[in-house]
Amino acid sequence: MLKKKLHFGYFSRFDLTLVVFLGLKHLSSEFCEKMACMKLGSKTDAFRRQGQAWFCTTGLPSDIVVEVGEMSFHLHKFPLLSRSGVMERLIAEASEEGEEKCSICLPDIPGGAKTFELVAKFCYGVKLELTASNVVYLRCAAEHLEMTEEYGEGNLITKTETFLNQVVLRNWKDSLRALQTCDDIISYDDELNVTKRCIESLAMKASTDPNLSGWPIMEYGGPMQSPGGSVLWNGISTGARVKNTSSDWWYEDASTLSFPRYKRLIAVMESRGIRQEIIAGSLTFYAKKYLPGLNRCQGATDTNSSTCVAPVALESPPSEEDQKLLLEEIDRLLPIQKGLVPTNFLFGLLQTALILRVSPSYISNFEKRIGMQLDQATLEDLLIPNFSCSMETLYNVDCVQQILEHFLAMDQITGGASPSLVDDGQITASPSLTPVTLVAKLIDGYLAEVASDVNLKLPKFQALAASVPDYARHLDDGLYRAVDIYLKSHPWLSESEKEQLCQLMDCQKLSLEACTHAAQNERLPLRIVVQILFFEQLQLRTSITGCLLVSDNLDGSRQSGLAGPTERGWASTARENQVLKVGMDNMRTRVSELEKECSNMKQEIERLGRVKSFTWGNVSKRFGFKLKSRMCSAQEGSISNQNTESRKNEKLKDRQGQHKKNSTPKSR
């Protein structure tokens, strides 16, 4: 039986045991040569490559050819079968056919021909250099070939498993490199759990404070440290301190993983309780690296560029389909809490989604995310180009409309949709009134930017302007500016359309400067101008009433509070009173002029109401007046209506004399 096996070049593990223990000396010379090939194969130059074939230079002719992919390995049977259970069975099956030189095909070996080359060298006794880049392939190949301890002590399974646990998984960089090689061993992943162990190792190190545990300072080959934290050189403290590591140190390394592996890493990190803002930062980094359009959308407005490592640009960007899938996965993984993700980054994701034409549901998700923190956006963020085929407008106004509606809906849910009234009728701001005010100002600025687009339809402009609640605008100056720009860019609007557009404004919430500009604006309908003049008159009357109250209070305080002022103090008091009275006289004159102008304009409107070509320019030319706001400035009133110096001195002396008379009884 033994001689028959020797003739075919096949040796069983049982027969080799008999050889060792029985000390058989009558073995053939062929068997002795085959035993010696193990020693010859221990040299590193025992293998050479010729084209697509590998040869073992042991001095013996090869008796087996192993086909792995496109590569052929011309080897010997004994070294292979003595280490692998699979090779033992395959060689036995091939030897039964009676051929002296057999051929075996291994199409499914993990790692392909490169890994089998290392396995073959190991079988011949060549010392392997295990690294983080090849240990996963060798571990799976050893499992595939059944290289267990039954076929030799210190077999490949044991060696690779020991190296994986004691070296690779204890090191950040090695764990990362090993995980990067796991994409090709999916079929062995469930059984060996190599991917799971690498991911858990990375998650543990990333979720640990690097300043406390030493990650990744020791992993990057940094200098040794003393217990006090200073850098050591040859055991001597240099006095230099190691720089603290920020929480984003692992972003760049994690971005080198394929997305399935990266997604599993993020899931494990979340289960370990890592902070959501750190997860959001890593997802932001990953998206910027693999979505080239994202960086173009954000431009130079990235506020996190100084605090976060910049992603390295790829030589070959992913395809549009891969980018679309990645964008959808990023939407699923991003935290939904407000403020965790930069607003300009969300706008970049939205623009990229519009360019790639992803599903409308994902576009709606990005709009909702932006709506939650719209008060943190800028005007540049809102200027989203229109990527539709119709190109009706320059900017995507519909998208901004949806974002605004999501913001208002969220504001209502949080209880800050409208201000509350107190007993005295004063408006008390709710906690979210400030964000609403910021959004109102932002939308007014956006309306002013898009108003110059001649393709922007009036209903769309009106819908966006009317979406902002009335209480959100303290002043309508921004809205008036947008309306004026729209009227200027759309001169073909009819009078009814102009009046309908101007109804968006509240004339009572225009400042004095805006009222002055609107009263002279020939683009506004005449009815709106009359309303503005009327409310300007009310503002002036209110100002006069306030000034009168201030004057009365001032006179009373001066008479009751000052018992014996000096001559210089009485002169200053008299001068201030005189200036205040002059200012009030000027305002009374202005109010009278406005009342006359309003009366004349009403008569003119009634007389020319049916004339279609009637414009405000005709009224202004007919009456020849120009409106100019005169602020209640005491200094300007005193200069323009200043009397002669002699008359002022006389009034001052009279006032001082009368005061002395009034104060004489008190002194007694």
Side-chain angles (χ1 to χ4, degrees), residues 25-73:
K25 299 181 180 179
H26 58 276
L27 298 177
S28 64
S29 60
E30 180 183 0
F31 179 78
C32 296
E33 291 176 353
K34 289 181 179 294
M35 293 291 292
C37 77
M38 292 290 293
K39 296 182 179 181
L40 295 175
S42 62
K43 299 180 181 180
T44 57
D45 57 350
F47 288 83
R48 74 175 189 276
R49 178 177 178 178
Q50 295 181 357
Q52 294 296 105
W54 277 94
F55 295 90
C56 179
T57 58
T58 59
L60 296 175
S62 63
D63 54 3
I64 185 174
V65 179
V66 181
E67 301 286 344
V68 181
E70 298 180 355
M71 190 69 67
S72 300
F73 293 86

Side-chain angles (χ1 to χ4, degrees), residues 563-580:
T566 61
E567 295 293 333
R568 182 177 301 177
W570 281 115
S572 177
T573 302
R575 190 180 301 110
E576 292 176 1
N577 288 340
Q578 182 66 23
V579 170
L580 188 58

Side-chain angles (χ1 to χ4, degrees), residues 186-220:
I186 299 177
S187 58
Y188 295 90
D189 194 22
D190 295 337
E191 181 178 356
L192 303 179
N193 291 324
V194 177
T195 300
K196 181 180 179 181
R197 286 186 285 172
C198 290
I199 288 177
E200 289 180 349
S201 173
L202 293 175
M204 184 271 295
K205 294 173 176 60
S207 59
T208 305
D209 188 355
N211 297 319
L212 298 177
S213 62
W215 305 106
I217 297 174
M218 297 178 63
E219 301 304 322
Y220 283 95

